[in-house]
Amino acid sequence: MNPETSSFASVSELLHTLNPRKPVYCVYPHVYEQTARSFVGDFPGRVLYAVKANDDPLIIRLLNQGGVEHFDCASVPEIELVRENCPGATCYFMIPVALRGAAGEAFHDFDVRHFMVDDASRLDALASEIPLEQAVVFARMAVSHESAMMDLSSKFGAPPAEIPALLRKIVATGAEPALAFNVGTLVTDPGAYRHAIETAAEVLNALDFRLRLIDIGGGFPRSYPGFVSPPLEEFFSAVREAAAGLPMQDEGEIMAEPGRALSAPGLSAVVEVLLRKGRRLYLNDGMYGIFWELRFEGHQRFPVRAYRKGERLEGNPVSFRLFGPTCDASDVMPGEVELPSGIQAGDHLEFGNIGAYSLSGRTRFNGHYSDLIVEITSSAESPPKIEQA
Ligand SMILES: *Cc1c(COP(=O)(O)O)cnc(C)c1O
């Protein structure tokens, strides 16, 4: 954990106490724990948190306290981070490409037993680093669906027609074969999971052996202003129904790798308005900082509330364009944001639902970077959000 992490009952108390010049990222522990508890409780299978969505150690620990005991990692540093913060947790090395020696390090130093390939040539590399007969190896299958914000199968995954041969090669190494796929990220249609699971069922029906583990990936959405997704329960029902048709071993298990759905709701970013010019606000954080995910196609803004001198500011809402603090002209948020018409320099804005793909990718471009991460401890407080439809 950041040794300087401090706690405040509320964002008002934080602003009164620190009057921060830099952006402050607010972790709401009760929201993380509740988010974890409900996802783990409702998803029909084993839940792995995709660490890349937010690798802040405090957040990793809170998700673990909320019941997440499995972690989808893509590098040795991610595995090390999880092991340090959640000693009892299980890490999975779920990427079809890795640094030379990384699989061996994961196996021998961190007890990792689950690996992934999407090409038979990687099996030779794995065999040179780990005793494969003690490992589970997932064959990653390419599937996609038009409702995903980003098609993650354009980079990884073997075509479904090649999966049987790849699974047979995994069996021949002595490893336990398993199947994985990833529909995309910010998937808006539960049908995308149904489609992918049905594709998997067709592939697996043609085999003369049955798998124990099938990993349906991440992509479960959260809602943003102007980008409302169905509730997670609709996704879980689609998975439950489609998975009933999957040929698996009797003790078989479905796995999922949610990143956004677990990490988004519990974090907010408190930023300061540095300059107002008409309907343009210049903030102390931007597209090279906490808002970097907005450069991708998908949602365009976060739910927000305003503060003046530490107190909530209300007022007739009007639309503003929000600019970051750097020299770059592209450092501007794609979507306009509704704020009280009287907003002015020195006011603060709190953006909610911002825990996914935010802290983990901010840069030091132009010298702007904040490492002020605090806890908001009152369970009566929660970050700005829009209601899930
Ligand atoms: C990014 C990623 C995830 C998490 O995706 P979310 O959209 O954040 O749920 C899960 N699995 C794999 C393989 C990924 O690359």
Side-chain angles (χ1 to χ4, degrees):
M1 175 168 52
N2 178 348
E4 287 164 28
T5 299
S6 42
S7 300
F8 301 91
S10 63
V11 167
S12 282
E13 190 192 293
L14 154 76
L15 290 170
H16 283 301
T17 310
L18 295 186
N19 187 22
R21 295 194 309 156
K22 286 184 161 195
V24 185
Y25 307 119
C26 299
V27 176
Y28 288 71
H30 68 283
V31 178
Y32 272 111
E33 289 186 35
Q34 182 50 41
T35 301
R37 212 168 288 126
S38 62
F39 198 109
V40 170
D42 295 345
F43 180 76
R46 190 186 298 184
V47 175
L48 284 60
Y49 171 57
V51 173
K52 77 171 192 281
N54 191 324
D55 62 359
D56 182 75
L58 171 60
I59 290 169
I60 300 267
R61 286 198 301 273
L62 289 168
L63 292 173
N64 186 231
Q65 282 161 28
V68 176
E69 289 168 356
H70 306 270
F71 290 83
D72 163 18
C73 302
S75 65
V76 170
E78 284 189 352
I79 293 167
E80 203 168 357
L81 173 78
V82 172
R83 300 297 280 166
E84 264 171 26
N85 285 281
C86 317
T90 307
C91 293
Y92 301 66
F93 205 157
M94 298 297 257
I95 182 161
V97 62
L99 296 192
R100 201 173 344 112
E105 221 178 320
F107 185 99
H108 296 290
D109 298 352
F110 299 102
D111 291 327
V112 174
R113 292 293 178 270
H114 300 79
F115 298 85
M116 176 178 282
V117 298
D118 69 355
D119 189 89
S121 64
R122 269 297 292 172
L123 285 172
D124 300 333
L126 278 183
S128 72
E129 295 182 23
I130 63 174
L132 276 169
E133 65 287 352
Q134 292 176 46
V136 178
V137 177
F138 289 82
R140 170 95 173 251
M141 181 173 76
V143 290
S144 57
H145 194 272
E146 65 272 9
S147 85
M149 167 173 118
M150 204 184 304
D151 180 359
L152 292 177
S153 288
S154 60
K155 180 169 180 185
F156 291 127
E162 292 173 17
I163 291 294
L166 186 54
L167 285 170
R168 276 185 219 106
K169 283 182 183 147
I170 293 170
V171 172
T173 66
E176 176 184 339
L179 182 71
F181 46 86
N182 200 312
V183 178
T185 188
L186 202 49
V187 177
T188 55
D189 179 2
Y193 291 88
R194 205 175 292 120
H195 169 77
I197 293 170
E198 284 166 6
T199 305
E202 275 175 42
V203 169
L204 297 180
N205 268 322
L207 296 174
D208 55 4
F209 53 91
R210 292 283 174 257
L211 304 182
R212 184 173 60 92
L213 296 174
I214 296 178
D215 177 1
I216 67 167
F220 302 92
R222 290 291 177 190
S223 288
Y224 299 91
F227 197 100
V228 176
S229 300
L232 291 183
E233 189 44 53
E234 286 187 29
F235 291 81
F236 297 165
S237 300
V239 169
R240 201 178 288 115
E241 283 163 28
L246 270 175
M248 295 180 82
Q249 294 180 13
D250 290 343
E251 67 278 27
E253 241 186 292
I254 298 289
M255 298 161 43
E257 302 171 343
R260 178 187 312 276
L262 288 174
S263 62
L267 189 83
S268 74
V270 174
V271 313
E272 185 175 326
V273 178
L274 304 176
L275 170 69
R276 173 172 178 175
K277 294 198 295 186
R279 294 289 180 83
R280 294 169 153 224
L281 301 180
Y282 295 77
L283 311 178
N284 64 353
D285 209 338
M287 300 294 282
Y288 290 90
I290 200 74
F291 299 122
W292 65 270
E293 190 199 32
L294 298 181
R295 81 172 76 116
F296 302 111
E297 203 180 310
H299 74 100
Q300 301 197 319
R301 53 211 154 98
F302 295 93
V304 62
R305 61 170 79 111
Y307 294 82
R308 174 163 300 161
K309 298 189 189 309
E311 300 303 323
R312 284 287 293 279
L313 178 69
E314 309 285 350
N316 176 37
V318 297
S319 294
F320 289 89
R321 293 226 76 186
L322 303 185
F323 294 78
T326 70
C327 302
D328 194 300
S330 73
D331 188 5
V332 53
M333 274 210 233
E336 298 200 336
V337 172
E338 302 253 297
L339 288 164
S341 59
I343 200 95
Q344 63 191 39
D347 291 342
H348 285 90
L349 307 180
E350 181 183 20
F351 293 88
N353 206 24
I354 201 167
Y357 307 107
S358 53
L359 286 183
S360 57
R362 66 202 196 279
T363 75
R364 295 180 184 276
F365 183 59
N366 249 184
H368 290 280
Y369 186 86
S370 171
D371 220 359
L372 279 168
I373 299 176
V374 306
E375 286 182 76
I376 302 297
T377 53
S378 165
S379 59
E381 301 289 320
S382 51
K385 66 175 175 194
I386 72 160
E387 292 308 320
Q388 197 93 359

